[in-house]
Amino acid sequence: MKVLGLTPNAITVLEKRYLKKDDQGKVIESPEGMFWRVARNVAEAERFYGSRTSPEELSDIFFRMMASLDFLPNSPCLMNAGRDLQQLAACFVLPLEDSLDSIFETVKQTALIHQSGGGTGFSFSHLRPKADTVQSTGGIASGPVSFMRVFNMATEVIKQGGTRRGANMGVLRIDHPDIMEFVTIKQKPDEMSNFNLSVGMTKAFMEALEKDHEYSLINPRTKREVRRLKAREVFEAIVSAAWQTGDPGVLFLDRINEANPTPELGEMESTNPCGEVPLLPHEPCVLGSINLSHMLKKRNGGWEADFEKVRRTVRDAVHFLDNVIDVNQYPLPQIAQMAKGNRKIGLGVMGLAHFFIRLGIPYNSPKALEVVRGLMSFIQYQARERSIELAEGRGAFPNYKGSIYDRAGAMRMRNATVTTIAPTGTLSLLANCSSGIEPLFAIQYTRRALEGMEFQITDPLFMELGEKEGFLSPEVMRLITEGASLQDISQVPEHIKELFVTSFEIPPVWHIKIQAAFQEYTDNAVSKTINFPRDASKEEVREAFLLAYRERCKGITIYRSGSKGGQVLACGTKQVC
């Protein structure tokens, strides 16, 4: 079977980042060869278990799943499987304790991970605040933000030679004494350019906010209150900074830890760079995504979800990702220990917007929420069933005792988590489908990528339906190229306008409701950007944060168009979306 459906853009990205090259930098591997390399490497894990399925048979299944673009694993797996590096995880959370030894050991670990194509998340909440005492020297501490600059610079240096932009998530608890400095840091140009920032919200803070009370700031070194702030003033500062720069997002730490599958191993304080995987220190994320735009079948002249294909793909993908844990070469022994102890995997989806369009369902509709819940609950159920089956032959994850599954009659799982919703930025470009669970960004837009690559993207489904229904005139294409909204183009039929609604045309409430619907049936978390048009108000951002909390999301990231220089996606020759 050959690889079908790769666009020129996909081939460009594969040649630039994924395919093997010789010493002169010449590409010496085809896309087909890449998928065989990955499939054979990951199938080798069968030899550890004396499986009835041979590695040869399994590699054929894995190859077909990837070459058809029905499923793709995270980028480091495609890049590194079957090669010398063999680092297949997308991201990691690293610990940071309150000592120079710990901090600079973590800087070193971060450099090794970024060099291998992984991203990193950290909680800076254990570091003593600025101007606190350093007893060993008699000096005063410089605070978490100053050490974040060290990590930012290290990332800048390492990413110059990488195949993937070094990315970090920096988290600080809302009750840390330096919280206001953290919240406002990105208002200075070029500060923390290699970091996404999130404030770790607590239940106590949210209750103080609701009652318009003050709350305590706690020195992490002494565990004592140092002063009190008005919750509303701090929240307004977070809203204002997010409106102005897109950072910080917020993480709801209590909600994240309610779903912690292994609470005896510690609390989760940070996530990976895009926020979809809350992790314990030294845990990696092993991710993959099913292409929903391929999970459809024609019936009676229309389209419907192909649940049998979803079931088959989910089961094979869980098997694939469980194998990845065994064949992975981890950058640190502590990471290998955590990975193999909890065996967390994160299977998600991409192509949701195209899936909806095929089914004739507007993204911002009650029907879309109903479909999401039905689809994701099915994926979650099938993923858990496959994990239980794998546990029968291979054993439950070693840290099962004391886990949330370790109860009478509970599931005996191979994997502590099975589902995650990742952003799939590059993967969706390879699969030529809409990104993650996002709505369409625009009908036509520019996508910027690493190493100065720029791609002009025109939505393939819009072109297909435009030709089929006969409204795709040169005039329509000219208007779209200039950045006009479909809603303002009279030649486009109303039902097409409803289906091809784009990110900034969808009220934030619908973005959040979609995220919350996925979160109901997802073990880890959901990566979703709540897009706001350029003229959105701070009041709208405030309401989005509060709604995300009410809807039981684990976190939220907002982005107001134009609030960052050099944004990854832009549309129209006459305007930015």
Side-chain angles (χ1 to χ4, degrees), residues 167-187:
N168 302 299
M169 170 65 82
V171 179
L172 196 70
R173 282 176 64 101
I174 191 76
D175 52 13
H176 192 283
D178 290 358
I179 188 63
M180 292 302 282
E181 183 185 11
F182 177 85
V183 164
T184 57
I185 186 141
K186 280 211 178 180
Q187 292 173 351

Side-chain angles (χ1 to χ4, degrees), residues 465-487:
L465 294 181
E467 287 177 14
K468 184 180 173 186
E469 299 195 19
F471 61 80
L472 203 63
S473 67
E475 172 67 4
V476 166
M477 288 311 299
R478 181 185 66 77
L479 291 168
I480 288 170
T481 300
E482 290 176 355
S485 165
L486 284 193
Q487 313 307 318

